[in-house]
Amino acid sequence: MQTVSENNCFGGVQGVYNHTSTACACDMTFGLFMPVEAKDGPVPVLWFLSGLTCTHENAMTKAGAQLWAAEHGIALVFPDTSPRGDDVANDEAYDLGQSAGFYIDATQSPWATHFQMQSYVLHELSELLFENFPLDEQRQSICGHSMGGHGALTLAMKTPGRFASMSAFSPICNPVQSDWGRKQFTAYLGADESEWVKHDATHLMAGSGFNGPVLVDTGTQDQFYDLLKPEGLATAMVARKQNGTFRLQPGYDHSYFFISTFMEDHVAFHADALYGVTA
Amino acid sequence: MQTVSENNCFGGVQGVYNHTSTACACDMTFGLFMPVEAKDGPVPVLWFLSGLTCTHENAMTKAGAQLWAAEHGIALVFPDTSPRGDDVANDEAYDLGQSAGFYIDATQSPWATHFQMQSYVLHELSELLFENFPLDEQRQSICGHSMGGHGALTLAMKTPGRFASMSAFSPICNPVQSDWGRKQFTAYLGADESEWVKHDATHLMAGSGFNGPVLVDTGTQDQFYDLLKPEGLATAMVARKQNGTFRLQPGYDHSYFFISTFMEDHVAFHADALYGVTA
């Protein structure tokens, strides 16, 4: 693992690191904010998964999350959104291939060689982080935006007991019903739709749901509202009486101006869950 | 004036607008954050001038200022850092020409045709803003970073009575003694150094200073510390008993992670001065 940069930030350190990933068979870069409390021992960690076209950098520089993470003594991890490199499969579309990993493990050629983002986030990057930084493996929560909101919700529901809480900004809620999902799942997973539903937040919520609190924010002026398909997830949450909150924010869109506006709420929501775990 | 984008943000609106500038003889873009209070009437305004290599966008997306501006009911203006365009003079160096206007009016060829950033900010953009948005012309303050810190301090000291307060993050404090200054002033203003000192914060501070409060933050790990030359400005502030604070922040560097960390302090500092004006 190599240090790309480290900058003091809200009393802690915002770092960027590079390492060679076995899961993705390429070099991967991630951001990590460590609050000052990490000097005294392991701190809770909030994963933040970003959306289409993003790298590790977008949320790290534009979401304003470090302020609130510092206030609550929580670390933030910003993984990349896909494998990258000249020898990594790609597509001309912005929503397939590099920058569009969808946080799943591809089974189909040519994607399977590198596109193993579920394994990368849940296992490889995770192990790297807990080995190298004072992070408390018993206190993890997860958040994300858009494709990363899909990632946060699905990875949390796939791993019961791992994450204390899950939240999302404008998540892709029902990819098997959306053009943000059907094309990618066909490419990465093949034509068998019974494989797709394992990676769909609405289906997972309608199934076993999530054993912890859930917070979802979506803007009423989101320019991608029709692609996000929030109605299915909201319905599934209500149907199973999920411990959770689904908020529609009047006038807000899909941008980081929306995310930064409500980041305080999301970090405080996760802090309640993270500190409750050991309280 | 054309609207490039408008996004809801912390209850207000973050807009980006484009207009044809007479002063700079080209199209110019700026960002403007309007807090929700602007719906009820004119609000105070804080100008934020950015540094070398920046556009209107960097501080708007990375400084986290809207949160605090919304809290205090203050508008934020983010001008560009120079004229731009294929027919605008430029230089291969990152610190001369486009993106490096230094907030002065050039008198020398080929720069004088477009590089009129002092007139643009103080007059043309200002008039455009007060004509088109509910901003209180009697309540203005100014802040900036690096080259924009130089801009904020010098424009405020050049216009006594206009700005209620001035502040800067890692400003270029003494350009006539720095490689961030001597090359640019030679190009834009010519070889006569007696013209340069009119645009040097240290010289202006040693002269008539500023009739209002001053706040300067510089990181002790600033990678450009030697180019910023903070010692002259600090000495001049102490020598004339300037109402002001000069802070050295341990471990912080020149980045937006530094700016965002202390933005709360700067906006609160300006809010005190802005609301004090009419209190």
Side-chain angles (χ1 to χ4, degrees), chain A:
Chain A
M1 189 179 69
Q2 294 178 312
T3 301
V4 176
S5 61
E6 290 185 332
N7 301 88
N8 273 28
C9 179
F10 290 103
V13 175
Q14 176 61 60
V16 175
Y17 308 92
N18 189 280
H19 70 114
T20 301
S21 165
T22 303
C24 294
C26 64
D27 285 350
M28 295 289 282
T29 303
F30 64 92
L32 175 67
F33 171 73
M34 294 296 284
V36 68
E37 288 82 356
K39 291 180 180 171
D40 299 322
V43 294
V45 54
L46 175 60
W47 294 76
F48 190 96
L49 305 184
S50 290
L52 292 165
T53 77
C54 290
T55 68
H56 68 283
E57 193 177 12
N58 303 65
M60 185 182 91
T61 56
K62 300 198 293 186
Q66 293 91 347
L67 164 65
W68 311 116
E71 187 170 299
H72 293 286
I74 293 172
L76 300 167
V77 184
F78 303 100
D80 202 347
T81 56
S82 83
R84 294 179 193 277
D86 291 342
D87 63 337
V88 174
N90 205 359
D91 188 274
E92 288 183 2
Y94 75 96
D95 58 359
L96 184 67
Q98 296 187 37
S99 296
F102 270 75
Y103 304 100
I104 59 178
D105 289 344
T107 58
Q108 305 298 303
S109 178
W111 308 105
T113 310
H114 298 281
F115 284 76
Q116 301 292 320
M117 286 300 292
Q118 175 175 320
S119 293
Y120 173 70
V121 169
L122 288 179
H123 303 299
E124 185 177 18
L125 176 57
S126 180
E127 287 165 19
L128 184 79
L129 289 169
F130 291 113
E131 280 172 18
N132 288 281
F133 298 94
L135 299 168
D136 184 350
E137 193 165 359
Q138 300 307 311
R139 290 188 293 176
Q140 299 182 59
S141 289
I142 193 163
C143 178
H145 172 233
S146 196
M147 176 184 74
H150 144 79
L153 300 177
T154 55
L155 293 188
M157 286 190 278
K158 288 174 183 178
T159 57
R162 171 155 179 177
F163 297 102
S165 48
M166 66 180 196
S167 80
F169 297 91
S170 31
I172 303 174
C173 297
N174 197 183
V176 306
Q177 299 292 342
S178 171
D179 286 343
W180 274 357
R182 296 187 64 83
K183 175 173 75 171
Q184 295 82 0
F185 287 0
T186 302
Y188 299 151
L189 301 173
D192 179 2
E193 297 196 19
S194 69
E195 287 300 314
W196 300 3
V197 295
K198 300 174 184 173
H199 313 284
D200 181 293
T202 298
H203 282 261
L204 291 167
M205 181 58 72
S208 49
F210 182 67
N211 184 25
V214 180
L215 174 61
V216 177
D217 270 318
T218 298
T220 64
Q221 296 299 311
D222 194 306
Q223 59 270 48
F224 304 110
Y225 201 92
D226 291 346
L227 289 162
L228 302 178
K229 304 214 172 289
E231 55 277 16
L233 179 60
T235 302
M237 285 175 65
V238 172
R240 72 183 312 279
K241 301 181 182 174
Q242 172 68 44
N243 171 8
T245 303
F246 200 111
R247 308 192 300 192
L248 294 171
Q249 300 290 1
Y252 285 88
D253 58 31
H254 202 71
S255 71
Y256 272 92
F257 296 115
F258 164 58
I259 298 173
S260 61
T261 299
F262 297 102
M263 185 56 82
E264 178 178 14
D265 294 354
H266 282 246
V267 177
F269 161 79
H270 290 296
D272 283 350
L274 288 164
Y275 289 109
V277 168
T278 58

Side-chain angles (χ1 to χ4, degrees), chain B residues 14 25 47 50 57 87 90 119 145 149 153-154 207 215 219 244 260 262 265 272 274:
Chain B
Q14 177 61 60
W47 295 75
S50 290
E57 194 176 12
D87 64 335
N90 205 359
S119 293
H145 172 233
L153 300 177
T154 55
L215 173 62
S260 61
F262 298 102
D265 293 354
D272 282 351
L274 288 165

Side-chain angles (χ1 to χ4, degrees), chain B residues 111-248:
Chain B
W111 308 105
T113 310
H114 298 281
F115 284 74
Q116 301 292 319
M117 285 301 292
Q118 175 174 320
S119 293
Y120 173 70
V121 169
L122 288 179
H123 303 300
E124 186 177 19
L125 176 57
S126 180
E127 286 165 19
L128 184 79
L129 289 169
F130 291 113
E131 278 171 20
N132 288 282
F133 298 94
L135 299 168
D136 184 350
E137 194 166 358
Q138 301 306 310
R139 290 188 292 175
Q140 299 181 59
S141 289
I142 193 164
C143 178
H145 172 233
S146 195
M147 176 184 75
H150 144 79
L153 300 177
T154 55
L155 294 189
M157 286 190 278
K158 287 173 183 178
T159 57
R162 170 155 178 176
F163 296 102
S165 48
M166 67 180 195
S167 80
F169 297 91
S170 32
I172 304 174
C173 296
N174 197 183
V176 306
Q177 298 293 341
S178 172
D179 286 343
W180 273 357
R182 297 187 63 83
K183 176 173 74 171
Q184 294 82 359
F185 287 0
T186 302
Y188 298 151
L189 301 173
D192 179 1
E193 296 196 19
S194 69
E195 287 300 313
W196 300 4
V197 296
K198 300 174 185 173
H199 312 284
D200 181 293
T202 297
H203 281 262
L204 290 167
M205 181 58 72
S208 50
F210 183 66
N211 183 26
V214 180
L215 173 62
V216 177
D217 270 318
T218 298
T220 64
Q221 297 299 312
D222 194 307
Q223 57 271 47
F224 304 110
Y225 201 91
D226 291 345
L227 288 162
L228 303 178
K229 303 212 172 290
E231 56 275 18
L233 179 60
T235 302
M237 285 175 66
V238 172
R240 72 182 312 279
K241 301 180 182 175
Q242 172 68 43
N243 170 8
T245 303
F246 200 110
R247 308 192 301 192
L248 294 171

